[in-house]
Amino acid sequence: MKVPLLDLKPQYQALKPALDAALLRVAESQYFILGPEVKALEAATAAYSGCKFGIGISSGTDALLVALMALDIGAGDEVITSPYTFFATAGTIARVGARPVFVDIDPDTFNISPRAIERAITSRTRAIMPVHLYGQVADMTSIMDIARRHDLRVIEDAAQAIGSEDEQGRRACSIGDIGCLSFFPTKNLGAFGDAGACVTNDEKLAAKLMKLRVHGMEPKYYHELVGGNFRLDEIQAAVLNVKLPHLDSWSAARQRNAAFYDAAFARAGLAGKVRTPPPAARGSRHIYNQYCIRVERRDEVRAWLAKHEVGAEIYYPLALHMQQCFAYLGHKPEDFPESLRATRESLALPIYPELDESQLQYVVDTIAALFRK
Ligand SMILES: Cc1ncc(COP(=O)(O)O)c(C=O)c1O
């Protein structure tokens, strides 16, 4: 049996008539950038995230970048974030000239540890950038409390977490100053290419984000600010407008798959060998962009799965504090022991909505067979 890590074709097939019509509609309109599809997506994304304002952006990375720019974060500033995330989180901090200040993660959630944040604050700290990794909201209650006490801004990197909620039922992106989303094709809501968005409840910030997205221009050819080309195109927005109404059912299917794995691993008697994600906090909503187990002999397990035609991926093999481009920060691997351990143990298993139970069971059986050898 083949179980790919992700197969986008069944989703396309299910929505093909509507998606093809949307693409044609854009072709026929010959309106390609920041048009009616983008406007509709902005309103829908903001509403879905519990925010008043949505700003369509060219990618999740650019959403983070423009959010930092909108908060005037730059040279001499420090932004606290996690070293266990996709590169864009810290890359954008460095790109605006600020210093990424890494702090370790919580070993259960893989998300940034609030206690570690508090210890890293200096007089130069301007913002915290928590990441809602794998689709689970970071401890925003503690993070917002710290931010309030130290007068810091909060940018939520919700690239992997659209529609997730914390234990108070607050949607990802609606808690901090600006929330950033990615619609990269592998995300729960994926475009047909690169796309992203910023959402916020702050009207002034929304206006500034809109301006920065088009080179800080308003009115045409008059530039109050230096922004960039962070525009979102109509084709991507049209695709996302078709897909968004289905997002809840896809995220529910991912949750069902996660629950199936939890039970199947428990039945397989792999305790001590395979650690499934601990139950999410009561009242929260994990949307499982990834289902990551922790496993000893991780690379061997991954190779074994590949041999048996099961896709699995390592998110992430090298923590950001050890990336070559951040050597100037002077970190040692063990500066963040939990992040280091996660890079050695975590393995993402197939979790996409269209998987059936026989495929999920096959993944568990295949891993169990290796440990029985
Ligand atoms: C945590 C995180 N932040 C930022 C990004 C950047 O998003 P994009 O790939 O749309 O630029 C991603 C996407 O891969 C991500 O997973």
Side-chain angles (χ1 to χ4, degrees), residues 53 55 57 66-73 126 153 178 198 200 202-218 224-228 230:
F53 308 100
I55 301 95
I57 301 286
V66 76
L68 288 157
M69 292 168 76
L71 295 173
D72 295 317
I73 290 169
R126 291 281 322 283
R153 311 309 292 266
I178 303 173
C198 290
T200 182
D202 183 319
E203 190 169 6
K204 278 204 183 119
L205 275 179
K208 193 164 175 188
L209 289 162
M210 289 265 184
K211 206 180 281 185
L212 286 167
R213 167 177 74 175
V214 289
H215 291 292
M217 178 168 76
E218 194 187 340
E224 180 196 339
L225 304 163
V226 177
F230 305 125

Side-chain angles (χ1 to χ4, degrees), residues 59-61 64 85-86 88-89 131 157 159-160 182-184 187 194-195 316:
S59 69
T61 302
L64 293 169
T85 171
F86 178 62
T89 314
V131 182
D157 181 344
Q160 301 182 7
S182 164
F183 303 122
F184 186 75
K187 301 298 195 279
D194 277 310
Y316 297 88

Side-chain angles (χ1 to χ4, degrees), residues 77-240:
D77 295 334
E78 294 180 354
V79 179
I80 297 175
T81 194
S82 165
Y84 188 69
T85 171
F86 178 62
F87 178 75
T89 314
T92 51
I93 296 170
R95 275 179 69 193
V96 295
R99 186 180 182 87
V101 173
F102 296 119
V103 303
D104 212 355
I105 56 167
D106 172 281
D108 282 340
T109 62
F110 298 99
N111 280 329
I112 195 166
S113 154
R115 258 181 306 147
I117 293 176
E118 190 107 45
R119 288 195 295 268
I121 293 172
T122 73
S123 58
R124 291 177 298 279
T125 309
R126 291 281 322 283
I128 308 168
M129 197 190 275
V131 182
H132 306 321
L133 203 71
Y134 303 150
Q136 182 172 29
V137 178
D139 178 357
M140 291 304 289
T141 303
S142 306
I143 291 169
M144 293 311 291
D145 175 56
I146 295 169
R148 237 172 263 125
R149 283 191 282 108
H150 295 272
D151 193 23
L152 305 175
R153 311 309 292 266
V154 176
I155 298 171
E156 293 178 66
D157 181 344
Q160 301 182 7
I162 185 167
S164 59
E165 293 171 3
D166 77 349
E167 76 291 346
Q168 296 186 42
R170 298 178 294 184
R171 281 255 150 139
C173 293
S174 70
I175 313 168
D177 294 283
I178 303 173
C180 299
L181 297 165
S182 164
F183 303 122
F184 186 75
T186 61
K187 301 298 195 279
N188 285 29
L189 179 63
F192 280 7
D194 277 310
C198 290
V199 293
T200 182
N201 279 310
D202 183 319
E203 190 169 6
K204 278 204 183 119
L205 275 179
K208 193 164 175 188
L209 289 162
M210 289 265 184
K211 206 180 281 185
L212 286 167
R213 167 177 74 175
V214 289
H215 291 292
M217 178 168 76
E218 194 187 340
K220 209 171 181 185
Y221 305 130
Y222 289 82
H223 300 261
E224 180 196 339
L225 304 163
V226 177
N229 173 3
F230 305 125
R231 298 178 303 234
L232 178 60
D233 71 69
E234 286 285 284
I235 287 181
Q236 302 310 333
V239 165
L240 293 165

Side-chain angles (χ1 to χ4, degrees), residues 268-333:
L270 292 169
K273 300 199 171 67
V274 173
R275 233 178 102 195
T276 53
R282 253 180 108 90
S284 68
R285 182 182 194 227
H286 189 328
I287 55 119
Y288 291 100
N289 181 240
Q290 301 297 343
Y291 181 93
C292 281
I293 57 169
R294 281 180 181 269
V295 65
E296 280 174 30
R297 298 154 56 192
R298 189 264 320 272
D299 295 341
E300 193 189 336
V301 173
R302 187 182 181 211
W304 172 261
L305 285 170
K307 192 170 145 200
H308 293 84
E309 303 191 300
V310 174
E313 188 53 276
I314 298 165
Y315 301 111
Y316 297 88
L318 185 64
L320 298 188
H321 67 290
M322 293 319 295
Q323 298 290 344
Q324 195 181 341
C325 64
F326 291 135
Y328 66 93
L329 296 171
H331 287 299
K332 297 187 293 300

